[in-house]
Amino acid sequence: FSWRPVWKRDWVFKASAGLYQQQAFYRELRDFQGNVNRDLKAQKSWQGVLGANYRFTLWNREFQLNQEVYGKYLLDVVPYDMDNVRIRYYGVNNATAYAVGYDMRVGGEFIKGAESWFSLGILSTRENVEGDGKGYIRRPTDQRVTLGIFFQDHLPKNPSARMYLNFVVGTGLPFGPPNSQQNRAALISPAYRRVDIGFSKVISLGNSGSALGRRFESIWLGLEIL
């Protein structure tokens, strides 16, 4: 459902809700000992989202602000643990879980002719495994805060020569010692940080009269450091 109020045409309010069911993948059927549970149920979730989209003008250019708050309650969850780069599933539907959060993104041409954006995500997701006596604990995907910045620029008199900077930082994820179910989510990993930079140039060949110009209108050259 979406609604654009008559009194404020630059706002759009949105709402959605539903039930989602996901059949198990093969890895989810296998427990820690490699036994396959052929009676595993589909994981289910009830979820709802409320959002707002705001279009505004700044520096004579259009910008857009998107915001969403969401909640999800999960049933028949198959818990899993991260073991280095492996995902190890319990192989049984013995947990319930929930997720709540807020996402925000504002984007537009901070530099004329170059789209850039800033984003912020806040998340809390926890699960309760039957029989472990720990109640609700953090799920492996519980990254509380994530901040992202994507910024583009170009040479004032040569817009085909561009640069972009991508920056992402997120708080640490929970984990525990391998093969120690009683210590699940007992530790927190260091914060995640990433910076990428890229440069590109479009070379027009359409009117060059060269052999390449007879076959290509332009060539795009790029260099990225990740």
Side-chain angles (χ1 to χ4, degrees):
F1 173 81
S2 63
W3 174 54
R4 186 191 300 273
V6 176
W7 48 269
K8 202 69 172 174
R9 300 295 294 174
D10 46 4
W11 280 93
V12 176
F13 299 96
K14 301 178 181 181
S16 64
L19 169 65
Y20 178 72
Q21 300 189 43
Q22 177 177 293
Q23 296 297 327
F25 295 100
Y26 174 69
R27 287 192 303 172
E28 298 171 10
L29 301 175
R30 298 182 57 182
D31 62 15
F32 280 27
Q33 290 73 40
N35 302 313
V36 177
N37 179 6
R38 298 180 182 273
D39 298 321
L40 197 69
K41 300 176 183 177
Q43 299 185 87
K44 308 171 184 67
S45 69
W46 289 98
Q47 51 208 25
V49 181
L50 296 175
N53 175 271
Y54 173 50
R55 293 179 179 271
F56 62 98
T57 301
L58 188 64
W59 307 311
N60 294 320
R61 297 191 288 274
E62 186 177 275
F63 288 77
Q64 190 170 168
L65 170 66
N66 292 314
Q67 300 182 85
E68 286 186 345
V69 292
Y70 57 87
K72 180 185 291 189
Y73 181 68
L74 299 95
L75 304 166
D76 293 325
V77 174
V78 181
Y80 67 90
D81 291 333
M82 299 296 299
D83 184 1
N84 198 0
V85 296
R86 291 194 303 169
I87 301 178
R88 305 189 66 185
Y89 290 90
Y90 280 43
V92 290
N93 303 101
N94 66 338
T96 57
Y98 71 84
V100 293
Y102 166 79
D103 285 331
M104 181 275 291
R105 172 169 167 158
V106 58
E109 295 184 3
F110 291 89
I111 302 297
K112 189 174 182 179
E115 185 83 12
S116 302
W117 51 262
F118 300 83
S119 67
L120 172 67
I122 300 173
L123 166 69
S124 176
T125 178
R126 294 175 176 264
E127 66 184 8
N128 182 15
V129 179
E130 296 176 1
D132 68 355
K134 302 179 67 174
Y136 279 92
I137 63 172
R138 298 178 65 186
R139 305 194 77 201
T141 54
D142 185 35
Q143 192 164 38
R144 192 58 45 83
V145 179
T146 305
L147 172 67
I149 299 174
F150 181 81
F151 181 77
Q152 289 191 94
D153 199 357
H154 57 76
L155 296 179
K157 296 183 179 180
N158 189 359
S160 66
R162 293 175 173 260
M163 178 277 296
Y164 83 83
L165 182 67
N166 183 48
F167 171 77
V168 179
V169 61
T171 53
L173 294 168
F175 70 99
N179 302 316
S180 179
Q181 296 184 10
Q182 67 272 21
N183 291 312
R184 298 181 69 234
L187 304 172
I188 302 176
S189 68
Y192 174 80
R193 296 177 293 271
R194 174 171 179 164
V195 178
D196 305 329
I197 189 169
F199 304 90
S200 65
K201 169 66 178 171
V202 178
I203 301 175
S204 178
L205 300 172
N207 300 319
S208 65
S210 63
L212 282 176
R214 289 192 292 271
R215 293 175 174 81
F216 302 98
E217 291 187 3
S218 61
I219 292 178
W220 180 87
L221 302 175
L223 170 68
E224 293 181 313
I225 302 173
L226 310 178

